[in-house]
Coordinates of all heavy atoms in Angstrom, one line a residue:
M33 N 4.7 14.2 -1.2 CA 5.7 13.1 -1.2 C 5.8 12.4 -2.5 O 6.9 12.1 -3.0 CB 5.2 12.1 -0.1 CG 6.2 11.0 0.1 SD 7.6 11.6 1.0 CE 8.4 10.2 1.5
L34 N 4.7 12.3 -3.2 CA 4.7 11.7 -4.5 C 5.5 12.5 -5.5 O 6.1 12.0 -6.4 CB 3.3 11.4 -5.0 CG 2.5 10.3 -4.4 CD1 1.1 10.2 -4.9 CD2 3.2 9.0 -4.6
R35 N 5.4 13.9 -5.3 CA 6.2 14.8 -6.2 C 7.7 14.5 -6.1 O 8.4 14.7 -7.1 CB 5.8 16.2 -5.9 CG 4.5 16.6 -6.4 CD 4.3 18.1 -6.3 NE 2.9 18.3 -5.8 CZ 2.5 19.1 -4.9 NH1 3.3 19.9 -4.3 NH2 1.2 19.1 -4.6
N36 N 8.1 14.1 -5.0 CA 9.6 13.8 -4.8 C 10.0 12.6 -5.6 O 11.2 12.5 -5.9 CB 9.9 13.6 -3.3 CG 9.7 14.8 -2.5 OD1 9.9 15.9 -3.0 ND2 9.5 14.6 -1.2
Y37 N 9.1 11.8 -6.0 CA 9.4 10.6 -6.8 C 9.2 10.8 -8.3 O 9.2 9.8 -9.1 CB 8.5 9.4 -6.4 CG 9.0 8.9 -5.0 CD1 8.1 8.9 -3.9 CD2 10.2 8.3 -4.8 CE1 8.5 8.3 -2.7 CE2 10.6 7.8 -3.6 CZ 9.8 7.8 -2.6 OH 10.2 7.3 -1.4
K38 N 9.1 12.0 -8.8 CA 9.0 12.2 -10.2 C 10.2 11.7 -11.0 O 10.0 11.2 -12.1 CB 8.7 13.7 -10.5 CG 7.4 14.3 -10.1 CD 6.3 13.7 -10.9 CE 5.0 14.2 -10.4 NZ 3.8 13.6 -11.0
K39 N 11.4 11.9 -10.4 CA 12.6 11.4 -11.1 C 13.0 10.0 -10.7 O 13.5 9.2 -11.4 CB 13.7 12.4 -10.9 CG 13.5 13.8 -11.5 CD 14.6 14.7 -11.2 CE 14.2 16.1 -11.7 NZ 15.1 17.1 -11.3
D40 N 12.8 9.7 -9.4 CA 13.2 8.5 -8.8 C 12.0 7.6 -8.7 O 10.9 8.1 -8.4 CB 13.9 8.6 -7.4 CG 15.1 9.4 -7.5 OD1 15.9 9.3 -8.5 OD2 15.4 10.2 -6.5
V41 N 12.2 6.3 -8.9 CA 11.1 5.4 -8.7 C 11.1 4.8 -7.3 O 12.1 4.2 -6.9 CB 11.2 4.2 -9.7 CG1 10.1 3.2 -9.5 CG2 11.1 4.7 -11.1
P42 N 10.0 5.0 -6.5 CA 9.9 4.5 -5.2 C 9.8 3.0 -5.2 O 9.4 2.4 -6.2 CB 8.7 5.2 -4.6 CG 7.8 5.4 -5.8 CD 8.8 5.7 -6.9
T43 N 10.1 2.3 -4.1 CA 9.8 0.9 -4.0 C 8.3 0.7 -4.0 O 7.5 1.7 -3.6 CB 10.4 0.3 -2.7 OG1 9.7 0.9 -1.6 CG2 11.9 0.5 -2.6
K44 N 7.8 -0.4 -4.3 CA 6.4 -0.7 -4.3 C 5.8 -0.5 -2.9 O 4.8 0.0 -2.7 CB 6.2 -2.1 -4.8 CG 4.7 -2.5 -5.0 CD 4.6 -3.9 -5.6 CE 3.3 -4.4 -5.7 NZ 3.3 -5.8 -6.2
Q45 N 6.6 -1.0 -1.9 CA 6.1 -0.9 -0.5 C 6.0 0.5 -0.1 O 5.0 0.9 0.6 CB 7.0 -1.7 0.4 CG 7.0 -3.2 0.3 CD 7.8 -3.7 -0.9 OE1 8.5 -3.0 -1.6 NE2 7.6 -5.0 -1.2
A46 N 7.0 1.3 -0.4 CA 6.9 2.8 -0.1 C 5.8 3.4 -0.7 O 5.0 4.2 -0.1 CB 8.2 3.4 -0.4
L47 N 5.6 3.2 -2.0 CA 4.5 3.8 -2.8 C 3.1 3.4 -2.2 O 2.2 4.2 -2.0 CB 4.6 3.4 -4.2 CG 3.6 4.1 -5.2 CD1 3.8 5.6 -5.1 CD2 3.9 3.6 -6.6
L48 N 3.0 2.1 -1.9 CA 1.7 1.6 -1.2 C 1.5 2.3 0.1 O 0.3 2.7 0.4 CB 1.7 0.1 -1.1 CG 1.4 -0.7 -2.3 CD1 1.7 -2.2 -2.0 CD2 0.0 -0.5 -2.7
A49 N 2.5 2.4 0.9 CA 2.3 3.1 2.2 C 1.9 4.5 2.1 O 1.0 5.0 2.8 CB 3.7 3.0 3.0
I50 N 2.4 5.2 1.1 CA 2.1 6.6 0.9 C 0.6 6.7 0.5 O -0.2 7.5 1.1 CB 3.0 7.3 -0.1 CG1 4.4 7.4 0.4 CG2 2.5 8.7 -0.5 CD1 5.5 7.7 -0.6
V51 N 0.2 6.0 -0.5 CA -1.2 6.1 -1.1 C -2.2 5.6 -0.1 O -3.3 6.1 0.0 CB -1.3 5.5 -2.5 CG1 -0.4 6.3 -3.5 CG2 -1.0 4.0 -2.5
I52 N -1.8 4.6 0.7 CA -2.8 4.1 1.7 C -2.9 5.1 2.8 O -4.1 5.4 3.3 CB -2.3 2.7 2.2 CG1 -2.5 1.6 1.2 CG2 -3.1 2.3 3.5 CD1 -1.9 0.3 1.5
A53 N -1.8 5.7 3.3 CA -1.9 6.7 4.4 C -2.7 7.9 3.9 O -3.3 8.6 4.7 CB -0.5 7.1 4.8
L54 N -2.6 8.2 2.6 CA -3.4 9.4 2.1 C -4.8 9.0 1.8 O -5.6 9.9 1.3 CB -2.7 9.9 0.8 CG -1.3 10.6 1.0 CD1 -0.7 10.9 -0.3 CD2 -1.5 11.8 1.8
N55 N -5.2 7.8 2.1 CA -6.6 7.3 2.0 C -7.1 7.4 0.6 O -8.3 7.7 0.3 CB -7.5 8.2 2.9 CG -8.7 7.5 3.3 OD1 -8.8 6.3 3.4 ND2 -9.8 8.3 3.4
F56 N -6.3 6.9 -0.4 CA -6.7 6.8 -1.8 C -7.6 5.6 -1.9 O -7.5 4.6 -1.2 CB -5.5 6.7 -2.7 CG -4.8 8.0 -2.9 CD1 -5.0 9.1 -2.2 CD2 -3.8 8.0 -3.9 CE1 -4.3 10.3 -2.4 CE2 -3.1 9.2 -4.1 CZ -3.3 10.3 -3.4
S57 N -8.5 5.7 -2.9 CA -9.4 4.6 -3.2 C -8.7 3.5 -3.9 O -7.5 3.7 -4.4 CB -10.6 5.1 -4.1 OG -10.1 5.4 -5.4
A58 N -9.3 2.3 -4.0 CA -8.7 1.2 -4.6 C -8.3 1.5 -6.1 O -7.2 1.1 -6.6 CB -9.6 -0.1 -4.5
S59 N -9.2 2.1 -6.8 CA -8.9 2.5 -8.2 C -7.8 3.5 -8.3 O -7.0 3.4 -9.2 CB -10.2 3.0 -8.9 OG -10.7 4.1 -8.3
E60 N -7.8 4.5 -7.4 CA -6.7 5.4 -7.4 C -5.3 4.8 -7.1 O -4.3 5.1 -7.7 CB -6.9 6.5 -6.4 CG -8.1 7.5 -6.8 CD -8.4 8.4 -5.6 OE1 -8.4 8.0 -4.5 OE2 -8.7 9.6 -6.0
I61 N -5.3 3.8 -6.2 CA -4.1 3.1 -5.8 C -3.6 2.3 -7.0 O -2.4 2.3 -7.4 CB -4.3 2.2 -4.6 CG1 -4.5 3.0 -3.4 CG2 -3.2 1.2 -4.4 CD1 -5.0 2.3 -2.1
D62 N -4.5 1.6 -7.7 CA -4.2 0.9 -8.9 C -3.6 1.7 -10.0 O -2.6 1.4 -10.6 CB -5.4 0.1 -9.4 CG -5.1 -0.8 -10.6 OD1 -4.2 -1.6 -10.4 OD2 -5.8 -0.7 -11.6
R63 N -4.2 2.9 -10.2 CA -3.7 3.8 -11.2 C -2.3 4.3 -10.9 O -1.5 4.4 -11.8 CB -4.7 5.0 -11.4 CG -4.3 6.0 -12.5 CD -5.3 7.2 -12.5 NE -5.4 7.9 -11.2 CZ -4.5 8.7 -10.7 NH1 -3.4 9.0 -11.4 NH2 -4.8 9.3 -9.6
I64 N -2.1 4.7 -9.7 CA -0.8 5.2 -9.3 C 0.3 4.1 -9.4 O 1.4 4.3 -9.9 CB -0.8 5.8 -7.9 CG1 -1.6 7.1 -8.0 CG2 0.6 6.1 -7.3 CD1 -2.0 7.8 -6.7
L65 N -0.1 2.9 -8.9 CA 0.9 1.8 -9.0 C 1.3 1.6 -10.4 O 2.5 1.4 -10.8 CB 0.3 0.5 -8.4 CG 0.2 0.5 -6.9 CD1 -0.5 -0.8 -6.5 CD2 1.6 0.5 -6.3
R66 N 0.3 1.5 -11.3 CA 0.6 1.3 -12.7 C 1.4 2.4 -13.4 O 2.3 2.1 -14.2 CB -0.7 1.1 -13.5 CG -1.4 -0.2 -13.2 CD -2.6 -0.5 -14.0 NE -3.3 -1.7 -13.6 CZ -2.9 -2.9 -13.8 NH1 -1.8 -3.2 -14.4 NH2 -3.6 -3.9 -13.3
S67 N 1.2 3.6 -12.9 CA 2.0 4.7 -13.5 C 3.5 4.6 -13.1 O 4.4 5.1 -13.8 CB 1.5 6.1 -13.0 OG 1.8 6.3 -11.6
Y68 N 3.8 3.8 -12.1 CA 5.2 3.6 -11.7 C 5.7 2.2 -12.1 O 6.7 1.7 -11.8 CB 5.4 3.7 -10.2 CG 5.4 5.2 -9.7 CD1 4.3 5.8 -9.3 CD2 6.6 5.9 -9.8 CE1 4.4 7.2 -8.9 CE2 6.7 7.2 -9.4 CZ 5.6 7.8 -8.9 OH 5.6 9.2 -8.6
G69 N 4.8 1.4 -12.8 CA 5.2 0.1 -13.3 C 4.9 -1.0 -12.4 O 5.5 -2.1 -12.5
Y70 N 4.1 -0.8 -11.4 CA 3.7 -1.8 -10.4 C 2.3 -2.2 -10.6 O 1.5 -1.5 -11.2 CB 4.0 -1.3 -9.0 CG 5.4 -0.9 -8.7 CD1 5.6 0.4 -8.2 CD2 6.4 -1.8 -8.8 CE1 6.9 0.7 -7.9 CE2 7.7 -1.4 -8.4 CZ 7.9 -0.2 -8.0 OH 9.2 0.2 -7.6
C71 N 1.9 -3.4 -9.9 CA 0.5 -3.7 -9.8 C 0.4 -4.6 -8.5 O 1.4 -5.1 -8.0 CB 0.0 -4.5 -11.0 SG 0.7 -6.1 -11.2
L72 N -0.8 -4.8 -8.1 CA -1.1 -5.7 -7.0 C -1.5 -7.1 -7.5 O -2.5 -7.2 -8.3 CB -2.2 -5.2 -6.0 CG -1.8 -4.0 -5.2 CD1 -3.1 -3.5 -4.4 CD2 -0.7 -4.4 -4.2
S73 N -0.7 -8.1 -7.2 CA -1.0 -9.4 -7.7 C -1.6 -10.3 -6.6 O -1.2 -10.3 -5.5 CB 0.3 -10.1 -8.1 OG 0.2 -11.4 -8.4
E74 N -2.6 -11.1 -7.0 CA -3.3 -11.9 -6.0 C -2.4 -13.2 -5.7 O -2.7 -13.9 -4.8 CB -4.6 -12.4 -6.5 CG -5.6 -11.2 -6.5 CD -7.0 -11.5 -7.0 OE1 -7.3 -12.7 -7.2 OE2 -7.8 -10.6 -7.2
S75 N -1.4 -13.4 -6.5 CA -0.5 -14.6 -6.3 C 0.7 -14.3 -5.4 O 1.4 -15.2 -5.0 CB 0.0 -15.1 -7.6 OG 0.8 -14.2 -8.3
I76 N 0.9 -13.0 -5.0 CA 1.9 -12.6 -4.1 C 1.2 -12.4 -2.7 O 0.3 -11.5 -2.7 CB 2.7 -11.4 -4.6 CG1 3.4 -11.7 -5.9 CG2 3.7 -11.0 -3.6 CD1 4.0 -10.5 -6.6
A77 N 1.7 -13.0 -1.7 CA 1.0 -13.0 -0.4 C 0.8 -11.6 0.1 O -0.3 -11.2 0.5 CB 1.7 -13.9 0.6
E78 N 1.9 -10.8 0.1 CA 1.8 -9.4 0.7 C 0.8 -8.6 -0.1 O 0.1 -7.7 0.4 CB 3.1 -8.8 0.9 CG 4.0 -8.7 -0.2 CD 5.0 -9.9 -0.3 OE1 4.8 -11.0 0.3 OE2 6.1 -9.7 -0.9
D79 N 0.9 -8.8 -1.5 CA -0.1 -8.0 -2.3 C -1.5 -8.4 -2.1 O -2.4 -7.6 -2.1 CB 0.3 -8.3 -3.8 CG 1.5 -7.5 -4.3 OD1 2.2 -6.9 -3.5 OD2 1.8 -7.6 -5.5
A80 N -1.7 -9.7 -1.9 CA -3.1 -10.2 -1.6 C -3.6 -9.6 -0.3 O -4.8 -9.2 -0.2 CB -3.1 -11.7 -1.5
V81 N -2.8 -9.4 0.7 CA -3.2 -8.8 2.0 C -3.6 -7.4 1.8 O -4.6 -6.9 2.2 CB -2.1 -9.0 3.1 CG1 -2.4 -8.1 4.3 CG2 -1.9 -10.4 3.5
V82 N -2.7 -6.7 1.1 CA -3.0 -5.2 0.8 C -4.2 -5.1 0.0 O -5.1 -4.2 0.3 CB -1.7 -4.6 0.1 CG1 -2.1 -3.2 -0.4 CG2 -0.5 -4.5 1.0
K83 N -4.4 -5.9 -1.0 CA -5.5 -5.8 -1.9 C -6.8 -6.0 -1.1 O -7.8 -5.3 -1.3 CB -5.4 -6.8 -3.0 CG -6.3 -6.5 -4.2 CD -5.9 -7.4 -5.4 CE -6.7 -7.0 -6.6 NZ -6.3 -7.6 -7.8
W84 N -6.8 -7.0 -0.3 CA -8.0 -7.3 0.5 C -8.4 -6.1 1.4 O -9.5 -5.7 1.5 CB -7.8 -8.6 1.4 CG -9.1 -9.0 2.0 CD1 -10.1 -9.8 1.5 CD2 -9.6 -8.5 3.3 NE1 -11.1 -9.9 2.4 CE2 -10.9 -9.1 3.5 CE3 -9.1 -7.7 4.3 CZ2 -11.6 -8.9 4.6 CZ3 -9.8 -7.5 5.4 CH2 -11.1 -8.1 5.6
Y85 N -7.4 -5.6 2.2 CA -7.7 -4.5 3.1 C -8.1 -3.3 2.3 O -9.1 -2.6 2.7 CB -6.4 -4.1 3.9 CG -6.3 -4.9 5.2 CD1 -5.5 -5.9 5.4 CD2 -7.1 -4.4 6.3 CE1 -5.4 -6.6 6.6 CE2 -7.0 -5.1 7.5 CZ -6.2 -6.1 7.7 OH -6.1 -6.8 8.9
V86 N -7.5 -3.0 1.2 CA -7.9 -1.8 0.4 C -9.3 -1.9 -0.1 O -10.1 -0.9 -0.1 CB -6.9 -1.5 -0.7 CG1 -7.4 -0.6 -1.8 CG2 -5.5 -1.1 -0.2
N87 N -9.7 -3.1 -0.5 CA -11.1 -3.3 -1.0 C -12.1 -3.5 0.0 O -13.3 -3.1 -0.2 CB -11.1 -4.5 -2.0 CG -10.4 -4.2 -3.3 OD1 -10.5 -3.1 -3.8 ND2 -9.6 -5.2 -3.7
Y88 N -11.8 -4.0 1.2 CA -12.8 -4.3 2.2 C -12.7 -3.6 3.5 O -13.5 -3.9 4.4 CB -12.8 -5.8 2.4 CG -13.1 -6.6 1.2 CD1 -12.2 -7.3 0.5 CD2 -14.4 -6.5 0.6 CE1 -12.4 -8.0 -0.7 CE2 -14.7 -7.2 -0.6 CZ -13.7 -7.9 -1.2 OH -14.0 -8.6 -2.4
W89 N -11.8 -2.7 3.7 CA -11.7 -2.0 5.0 C -12.9 -1.1 5.2 O -13.3 -0.3 4.3 CB -10.4 -1.1 5.0 CG -10.1 -0.3 6.2 CD1 -10.2 1.0 6.3 CD2 -9.7 -0.9 7.5 NE1 -9.9 1.4 7.6 CE2 -9.6 0.3 8.3 CE3 -9.5 -2.1 8.0 CZ2 -9.2 0.1 9.7 CZ3 -9.1 -2.3 9.3 CH2 -8.9 -1.2 10.1
K90 N -13.5 -1.2 6.3 CA -14.8 -0.5 6.6 C -14.6 0.9 6.9 O -15.4 1.8 6.6 CB -15.6 -1.2 7.7 CG -15.9 -2.7 7.4 CD -16.9 -2.8 6.3 CE -17.3 -4.3 6.2 NZ -17.5 -4.6 4.8
Q91 N -13.5 1.3 7.6 CA -13.3 2.7 8.0 C -12.4 3.4 7.0 O -11.3 3.7 7.2 CB -12.6 2.7 9.4 CG -13.5 2.0 10.4 CD -12.8 1.8 11.7 OE1 -11.6 2.1 11.8 NE2 -13.4 1.2 12.7
R92 N -13.0 3.7 5.8 CA -12.2 4.2 4.7 C -11.6 5.6 5.0 O -10.8 6.1 4.2 CB -13.1 4.3 3.5 CG -13.3 3.0 2.8 CD -12.1 2.3 2.3 NE -11.2 3.2 1.6 CZ -10.0 2.9 1.3 NH1 -9.4 1.8 1.7 NH2 -9.2 3.7 0.7
N93 N -12.1 6.3 6.0 CA -11.6 7.7 6.2 C -10.3 7.7 7.1 O -9.9 8.8 7.5 CB -12.7 8.5 6.9 CG -13.2 7.9 8.2 OD1 -12.8 6.8 8.6 ND2 -14.0 8.7 8.9
D94 N -9.7 6.6 7.4 CA -8.6 6.6 8.3 C -7.4 5.8 7.7 O -7.2 4.6 8.0 CB -8.9 6.0 9.7 CG -7.9 6.3 10.7 OD1 -6.8 6.7 10.4 OD2 -8.1 6.0 11.9
G95 N -6.7 6.4 6.8 CA -5.6 5.8 6.0 C -4.5 5.3 6.9 O -3.9 4.2 6.7
T96 N -4.1 6.1 7.9 CA -3.0 5.7 8.8 C -3.4 4.5 9.6 O -2.5 3.6 9.8 CB -2.7 6.9 9.8 OG1 -2.5 8.1 9.0 CG2 -1.5 6.5 10.7
R97 N -4.6 4.4 10.1 CA -5.0 3.2 10.8 C -5.0 2.0 9.9 O -4.6 0.9 10.3 CB -6.4 3.4 11.5 CG -6.8 2.2 12.3 CD -7.9 2.6 13.2 NE -8.3 1.4 14.0 CZ -9.5 1.1 14.3 NH1 -10.5 1.9 14.0 NH2 -9.8 0.0 14.9
L98 N -5.5 2.2 8.7 CA -5.5 1.1 7.7 C -4.1 0.6 7.5 O -3.8 -0.6 7.4 CB -6.1 1.5 6.4 CG -6.0 0.6 5.2 CD1 -6.7 -0.8 5.5 CD2 -6.7 1.2 4.0
L99 N -3.1 1.5 7.3 CA -1.7 1.1 7.1 C -1.2 0.3 8.3 O -0.5 -0.7 8.1 CB -0.9 2.4 6.9 CG 0.6 2.2 6.6 CD1 0.8 1.3 5.4 CD2 1.3 3.5 6.4
N100 N -1.5 0.8 9.5 CA -1.1 0.0 10.7 C -1.7 -1.4 10.7 O -1.1 -2.3 11.1 CB -1.5 0.8 11.9 CG -0.6 2.0 12.1 OD1 0.5 2.1 11.6 ND2 -1.1 3.0 12.8
E101 N -3.0 -1.5 10.4 CA -3.7 -2.8 10.3 C -3.0 -3.7 9.3 O -2.8 -4.9 9.6 CB -5.1 -2.7 10.0 CG -6.0 -2.0 11.1 CD -6.2 -2.9 12.3 OE1 -6.3 -4.2 12.1 OE2 -6.3 -2.4 13.4
I102 N -2.7 -3.2 8.2 CA -2.0 -4.0 7.1 C -0.7 -4.5 7.6 O -0.3 -5.7 7.5 CB -1.9 -3.2 5.8 CG1 -3.3 -3.0 5.2 CG2 -1.0 -3.9 4.8 CD1 -3.3 -2.0 4.0
N103 N 0.1 -3.6 8.2 CA 1.4 -3.9 8.7 C 1.4 -4.9 9.8 O 2.2 -5.8 9.9 CB 2.2 -2.7 9.1 CG 2.9 -2.0 7.9 OD1 3.2 -2.7 6.9 ND2 3.2 -0.8 8.0
D104 N 0.4 -4.8 10.7 CA 0.2 -5.8 11.8 C 0.0 -7.2 11.2 O 0.6 -8.1 11.7 CB -1.0 -5.4 12.7 CG -0.7 -4.2 13.6 OD1 0.5 -3.8 13.7 OD2 -1.6 -3.6 14.2
L105 N -0.9 -7.3 10.3 CA -1.1 -8.6 9.7 C 0.1 -9.1 8.9 O 0.5 -10.3 9.0 CB -2.4 -8.6 8.8 CG -2.7 -10.0 8.2 CD1 -3.0 -11.0 9.3 CD2 -4.0 -9.8 7.3
L106 N 0.7 -8.3 8.2 CA 1.9 -8.7 7.4 C 3.0 -9.2 8.4 O 3.7 -10.2 8.1 CB 2.5 -7.5 6.6 CG 1.7 -7.1 5.4 CD1 2.2 -5.8 4.8 CD2 1.6 -8.2 4.3
E107 N 3.2 -8.5 9.5 CA 4.1 -8.9 10.5 C 3.8 -10.3 11.1 O 4.6 -11.1 11.3 CB 4.2 -7.9 11.6 CG 5.3 -8.2 12.7 CD 5.4 -7.1 13.7 OE1 4.4 -6.4 14.0 OE2 6.5 -6.9 14.2
K108 N 2.5 -10.5 11.4 CA 2.1 -11.8 12.0 C 2.3 -12.9 11.0 O 2.6 -14.0 11.4 CB 0.6 -11.7 12.3 CG 0.3 -10.9 13.6 CD -1.2 -10.8 13.8 CE -1.5 -9.9 15.0 NZ -2.9 -9.6 15.2
M109 N 2.2 -12.6 9.7 CA 2.4 -13.6 8.7 C 3.9 -13.7 8.3 O 4.2 -14.6 7.4 CB 1.6 -13.2 7.4 CG 0.1 -13.2 7.7 SD -0.8 -12.7 6.2 CE -0.6 -14.1 5.1
G110 N 4.8 -12.9 8.9 CA 6.2 -13.0 8.5 C 6.5 -12.4 7.2 O 7.5 -12.8 6.6
L111 N 5.7 -11.5 6.7 CA 5.9 -10.9 5.4 C 6.5 -9.5 5.5 O 6.4 -8.9 6.6 CB 4.6 -10.8 4.6 CG 3.9 -12.1 4.3 CD1 2.5 -11.9 3.8 CD2 4.8 -12.9 3.4
P112 N 7.1 -8.9 4.5 CA 7.7 -7.6 4.6 C 6.6 -6.5 4.8 O 5.5 -6.6 4.2 CB 8.3 -7.4 3.2 CG 8.4 -8.7 2.5 CD 7.4 -9.6 3.2
L113 N 7.0 -5.6 5.7 CA 6.0 -4.5 6.0 C 6.1 -3.4 4.9 O 7.1 -3.3 4.2 CB 6.4 -3.9 7.4 CG 6.4 -4.9 8.5 CD1 6.8 -4.1 9.8 CD2 5.2 -5.7 8.7
L114 N 5.0 -2.6 4.9 CA 5.0 -1.5 4.0 C 5.9 -0.4 4.6 O 5.9 -0.2 5.8 CB 3.6 -1.0 3.7 CG 2.6 -2.0 3.1 CD1 1.2 -1.4 2.9 CD2 3.1 -2.5 1.8
M115 N 6.6 0.3 3.7 CA 7.4 1.5 4.1 C 8.6 1.1 4.9 O 9.1 1.8 5.7 CB 6.6 2.6 4.8 CG 7.1 3.9 4.7 SD 7.2 4.5 3.0 CE 7.6 6.2 3.3
T116 N 9.1 -0.1 4.7 CA 10.3 -0.6 5.4 C 11.2 -1.2 4.4 O 10.8 -1.6 3.3 CB 10.0 -1.6 6.5 OG1 9.4 -2.7 5.9 CG2 9.1 -1.0 7.6
R117 N 12.5 -1.2 4.8 CA 13.5 -1.8 3.9 C 14.3 -2.8 4.7 O 14.7 -2.6 5.8 CB 14.5 -0.8 3.3 CG 14.0 -0.2 2.1 CD 15.2 0.7 1.6 NE 14.6 1.8 1.0 CZ 15.2 2.6 0.2 NH1 16.5 2.4 0.0 NH2 14.6 3.7 -0.3
I118 N 14.5 -4.0 4.1 CA 15.3 -5.0 4.7 C 16.4 -5.3 3.7 O 16.1 -5.8 2.6 CB 14.6 -6.3 5.1 CG1 13.5 -5.9 6.1 CG2 15.5 -7.3 5.6 CD1 12.6 -7.1 6.5
K119 N 17.6 -5.0 4.0 CA 18.7 -5.3 3.0 C 19.5 -6.5 3.4 O 19.5 -7.0 4.5 CB 19.7 -4.1 3.0 CG 19.0 -2.9 2.4 CD 20.0 -1.8 2.3 CE 19.4 -0.5 1.7 NZ 20.3 0.5 1.5

């Protein structure tokens, strides 16, 4: 999936969803985000949620479940979900 984005730049939410589902480590996620010109900011609520989960999620071997947990909390907080678009 990441190879498809060599020419096009994915949204930050789409990129996060892909790397989280692929179970990348926090440092790998940071490296990939930076390579596309993004970063996780602690001053942006949805970024803070993602950053906390990526750093403290106990079941590191289940990226899909982690993505679902993050989206559940983002939804409860009324924040944009990962891998979705609202126009």
Side-chain angles (χ1 to χ4, degrees):
M33 188 71 166
L34 289 175
R35 282 187 222 140
N36 292 335
Y37 286 120
K38 290 293 182 187
K39 295 177 185 172
D40 298 326
V41 177
T43 64
K44 183 176 175 181
Q45 289 82 7
L47 188 57
L48 280 169
I50 293 166
V51 296
I52 289 168
L54 291 173
N55 203 32
F56 285 10
S57 69
S59 61
E60 291 171 320
I61 291 171
D62 185 53
R63 182 184 54 78
I64 290 171
L65 285 175
R66 289 187 188 283
S67 72
Y68 283 94
Y70 299 122
C71 69
L72 287 175
S73 169
E74 293 180 7
S75 62
I76 300 172
E78 53 265 28
D79 284 4
V81 169
V82 170
K83 195 170 189 173
W84 187 88
Y85 268 102
V86 166
N87 287 319
Y88 298 109
W89 180 251
K90 301 292 184 217
Q91 300 169 358
R92 286 298 315 162
N93 60 349
D94 192 352
T96 304
R97 185 164 176 215
L98 173 57
L99 181 58
N100 289 333
E101 290 287 329
I102 291 170
N103 276 337
D104 286 346
L105 182 57
L106 290 172
E107 183 176 33
K108 288 177 187 173
M109 296 175 72
L111 298 170
L113 305 180
L114 299 180
M115 202 62 170
T116 60
R117 273 188 215 197
I118 298 175
K119 292 184 178 185

